[in-house]
mmCIF file of all heavy atoms in Angstrom:
data_model
loop_
_atom_site.group_PDB
_atom_site.id
_atom_site.type_symbol
_atom_site.label_atom_id
_atom_site.label_comp_id
_atom_site.label_asym_id
_atom_site.label_seq_id
_atom_site.Cartn_x
_atom_site.Cartn_y
_atom_site.Cartn_z
ATOM 1 N N GLY A 86 -42.238 11.120 1.925
ATOM 2 C CA GLY A 86 -42.324 11.713 0.598
ATOM 3 C C GLY A 86 -42.987 13.066 0.568
ATOM 4 O O GLY A 86 -43.324 13.581 -0.506
ATOM 5 N N GLN A 87 -43.201 13.687 1.733
ATOM 6 C CA GLN A 87 -43.802 15.008 1.751
ATOM 7 C C GLN A 87 -42.807 16.022 1.187
ATOM 8 O O GLN A 87 -41.594 15.885 1.380
ATOM 9 C CB GLN A 87 -44.190 15.394 3.185
ATOM 10 C CG GLN A 87 -45.245 14.487 3.795
ATOM 11 C CD GLN A 87 -45.592 14.906 5.212
ATOM 12 O OE1 GLN A 87 -45.282 16.016 5.632
ATOM 13 N NE2 GLN A 87 -46.232 14.016 5.946
ATOM 14 N N PRO A 88 -43.288 17.037 0.494
ATOM 15 C CA PRO A 88 -42.388 18.057 -0.067
ATOM 16 C C PRO A 88 -41.528 18.672 1.025
ATOM 17 O O PRO A 88 -42.039 19.068 2.069
ATOM 18 C CB PRO A 88 -43.356 19.106 -0.657
ATOM 19 C CG PRO A 88 -44.619 18.342 -0.905
ATOM 20 C CD PRO A 88 -44.708 17.308 0.177
ATOM 21 N N PRO A 89 -40.220 18.698 0.834
ATOM 22 C CA PRO A 89 -39.334 19.211 1.878
ATOM 23 C C PRO A 89 -39.526 20.706 2.107
ATOM 24 O O PRO A 89 -39.779 21.466 1.184
ATOM 25 C CB PRO A 89 -37.935 18.926 1.331
ATOM 26 C CG PRO A 89 -38.131 18.874 -0.163
ATOM 27 C CD PRO A 89 -39.496 18.295 -0.378
ATOM 28 N N CYS A 90 -39.387 21.085 3.360
ATOM 29 C CA CYS A 90 -39.442 22.495 3.708
ATOM 30 C C CYS A 90 -38.190 23.179 3.157
ATOM 31 O O CYS A 90 -37.100 22.626 3.201
ATOM 32 C CB CYS A 90 -39.518 22.653 5.230
ATOM 33 S SG CYS A 90 -39.486 24.369 5.787
ATOM 34 N N LEU A 91 -38.344 24.356 2.641
ATOM 35 C CA LEU A 91 -37.220 25.051 2.020
ATOM 36 C C LEU A 91 -36.064 25.257 2.991
ATOM 37 O O LEU A 91 -34.901 25.292 2.591
ATOM 38 C CB LEU A 91 -37.692 26.407 1.471
ATOM 39 C CG LEU A 91 -38.650 26.349 0.271
ATOM 40 C CD1 LEU A 91 -39.074 27.767 -0.118
ATOM 41 C CD2 LEU A 91 -37.981 25.650 -0.904
ATOM 42 N N SER A 92 -36.387 25.394 4.283
ATOM 43 C CA SER A 92 -35.338 25.642 5.266
ATOM 44 C C SER A 92 -35.065 24.430 6.147
ATOM 45 O O SER A 92 -34.290 24.508 7.088
ATOM 46 C CB SER A 92 -35.737 26.829 6.156
ATOM 47 O OG SER A 92 -36.964 26.564 6.821
ATOM 48 N N GLY A 93 -35.711 23.298 5.871
ATOM 49 C CA GLY A 93 -35.554 22.110 6.702
ATOM 50 C C GLY A 93 -34.213 21.434 6.500
ATOM 51 O O GLY A 93 -33.534 21.642 5.488
ATOM 52 N N PRO A 94 -33.801 20.614 7.462
ATOM 53 C CA PRO A 94 -32.490 19.961 7.373
ATOM 54 C C PRO A 94 -32.368 18.993 6.204
ATOM 55 O O PRO A 94 -31.257 18.728 5.742
ATOM 56 C CB PRO A 94 -32.374 19.228 8.715
ATOM 57 C CG PRO A 94 -33.781 19.078 9.199
ATOM 58 C CD PRO A 94 -34.507 20.278 8.710
ATOM 59 N N PHE A 95 -33.496 18.453 5.719
ATOM 60 C CA PHE A 95 -33.458 17.519 4.587
ATOM 61 C C PHE A 95 -33.744 18.191 3.241
ATOM 62 O O PHE A 95 -33.891 17.522 2.227
ATOM 63 C CB PHE A 95 -34.468 16.386 4.799
ATOM 64 C CG PHE A 95 -34.139 15.484 5.961
ATOM 65 C CD1 PHE A 95 -34.829 15.612 7.159
ATOM 66 C CD2 PHE A 95 -33.153 14.521 5.864
ATOM 67 C CE1 PHE A 95 -34.536 14.795 8.233
ATOM 68 C CE2 PHE A 95 -32.847 13.688 6.933
ATOM 69 C CZ PHE A 95 -33.546 13.825 8.126
ATOM 70 N N SER A 96 -33.826 19.520 3.231
ATOM 71 C CA SER A 96 -34.263 20.234 2.026
ATOM 72 C C SER A 96 -33.326 20.030 0.843
ATOM 73 O O SER A 96 -33.747 20.125 -0.303
ATOM 74 C CB SER A 96 -34.402 21.733 2.332
ATOM 75 O OG SER A 96 -33.167 22.276 2.775
ATOM 76 N N CYS A 97 -32.061 19.757 1.118
ATOM 77 C CA CYS A 97 -31.094 19.578 0.028
ATOM 78 C C CYS A 97 -30.999 18.131 -0.450
ATOM 79 O O CYS A 97 -30.205 17.822 -1.347
ATOM 80 C CB CYS A 97 -29.708 20.047 0.478
ATOM 81 S SG CYS A 97 -29.624 21.804 0.871
ATOM 82 N N TYR A 98 -31.810 17.251 0.140
ATOM 83 C CA TYR A 98 -31.688 15.826 -0.160
ATOM 84 C C TYR A 98 -33.028 15.270 -0.642
ATOM 85 O O TYR A 98 -33.947 15.071 0.153
ATOM 86 C CB TYR A 98 -31.203 15.069 1.079
ATOM 87 C CG TYR A 98 -29.918 15.623 1.636
ATOM 88 C CD1 TYR A 98 -29.940 16.554 2.686
ATOM 89 C CD2 TYR A 98 -28.687 15.251 1.109
ATOM 90 C CE1 TYR A 98 -28.758 17.079 3.200
ATOM 91 C CE2 TYR A 98 -27.502 15.772 1.612
ATOM 92 C CZ TYR A 98 -27.552 16.682 2.653
ATOM 93 O OH TYR A 98 -26.384 17.209 3.143
ATOM 94 N N GLU A 99 -33.115 15.048 -1.926
ATOM 95 C CA GLU A 99 -34.349 14.537 -2.518
ATOM 96 C C GLU A 99 -34.567 13.095 -2.076
ATOM 97 O O GLU A 99 -33.682 12.247 -2.208
ATOM 98 C CB GLU A 99 -34.263 14.626 -4.040
ATOM 99 C CG GLU A 99 -35.574 14.330 -4.748
ATOM 100 C CD GLU A 99 -35.455 14.503 -6.252
ATOM 101 O OE1 GLU A 99 -34.591 15.298 -6.687
ATOM 102 O OE2 GLU A 99 -36.212 13.836 -6.978
ATOM 103 N N TYR A 100 -35.757 12.821 -1.564
ATOM 104 C CA TYR A 100 -36.040 11.505 -0.995
ATOM 105 C C TYR A 100 -35.848 10.382 -2.008
ATOM 106 O O TYR A 100 -35.397 9.294 -1.652
ATOM 107 C CB TYR A 100 -37.466 11.464 -0.434
ATOM 108 C CG TYR A 100 -37.851 10.101 0.100
ATOM 109 C CD1 TYR A 100 -37.318 9.630 1.297
ATOM 110 C CD2 TYR A 100 -38.721 9.275 -0.602
ATOM 111 C CE1 TYR A 100 -37.638 8.377 1.786
ATOM 112 C CE2 TYR A 100 -39.055 8.016 -0.121
ATOM 113 C CZ TYR A 100 -38.515 7.571 1.076
ATOM 114 O OH TYR A 100 -38.850 6.320 1.547
ATOM 115 N N SER A 101 -36.141 10.642 -3.254
ATOM 116 C CA SER A 101 -36.007 9.598 -4.272
ATOM 117 C C SER A 101 -34.543 9.252 -4.557
ATOM 118 O O SER A 101 -34.249 8.200 -5.130
ATOM 119 C CB SER A 101 -36.684 10.033 -5.576
ATOM 120 O OG SER A 101 -36.055 11.198 -6.091
ATOM 121 N N LYS A 102 -33.638 10.135 -4.136
ATOM 122 C CA LYS A 102 -32.221 9.924 -4.429
ATOM 123 C C LYS A 102 -31.377 9.574 -3.193
ATOM 124 O O LYS A 102 -30.272 9.059 -3.329
ATOM 125 C CB LYS A 102 -31.627 11.174 -5.087
ATOM 126 C CG LYS A 102 -32.248 11.511 -6.437
ATOM 127 C CD LYS A 102 -31.614 12.761 -7.010
ATOM 128 C CE LYS A 102 -32.232 13.111 -8.360
ATOM 129 N NZ LYS A 102 -31.641 14.359 -8.921
ATOM 130 N N TYR A 103 -31.899 9.862 -1.999
ATOM 131 C CA TYR A 103 -31.111 9.673 -0.786
ATOM 132 C C TYR A 103 -31.842 8.801 0.236
ATOM 133 O O TYR A 103 -33.073 8.724 0.247
ATOM 134 C CB TYR A 103 -30.797 11.024 -0.126
ATOM 135 C CG TYR A 103 -29.777 11.859 -0.856
ATOM 136 C CD1 TYR A 103 -30.187 12.747 -1.855
ATOM 137 C CD2 TYR A 103 -28.419 11.790 -0.549
ATOM 138 C CE1 TYR A 103 -29.261 13.532 -2.539
ATOM 139 C CE2 TYR A 103 -27.491 12.571 -1.219
ATOM 140 C CZ TYR A 103 -27.914 13.437 -2.207
ATOM 141 O OH TYR A 103 -27.003 14.214 -2.885
ATOM 142 N N TRP A 104 -31.051 8.171 1.087
ATOM 143 C CA TRP A 104 -31.586 7.516 2.273
ATOM 144 C C TRP A 104 -30.972 8.189 3.504
ATOM 145 O O TRP A 104 -29.934 8.853 3.415
ATOM 146 C CB TRP A 104 -31.294 6.015 2.288
ATOM 147 C CG TRP A 104 -29.869 5.613 1.998
ATOM 148 C CD1 TRP A 104 -29.375 5.123 0.825
ATOM 149 C CD2 TRP A 104 -28.745 5.657 2.909
ATOM 150 N NE1 TRP A 104 -28.018 4.866 0.932
ATOM 151 C CE2 TRP A 104 -27.612 5.172 2.197
ATOM 152 C CE3 TRP A 104 -28.583 6.044 4.229
ATOM 153 C CZ2 TRP A 104 -26.345 5.071 2.776
ATOM 154 C CZ3 TRP A 104 -27.310 5.959 4.819
ATOM 155 C CH2 TRP A 104 -26.212 5.468 4.080
ATOM 156 N N ALA A 105 -31.630 8.030 4.642
ATOM 157 C CA ALA A 105 -31.147 8.622 5.888
ATOM 158 C C ALA A 105 -31.129 7.567 6.988
ATOM 159 O O ALA A 105 -32.007 6.702 7.046
ATOM 160 C CB ALA A 105 -32.028 9.796 6.304
#
Side-chain angles (χ1 to χ4, degrees):
Q87 297 180 16
C90 176
L91 292 178
S92 59
F95 294 103
S96 59
C97 297
Y98 305 96
E99 189 177 333
Y100 177 73
S101 62
K102 297 180 180 179
Y103 288 89
W104 49 258

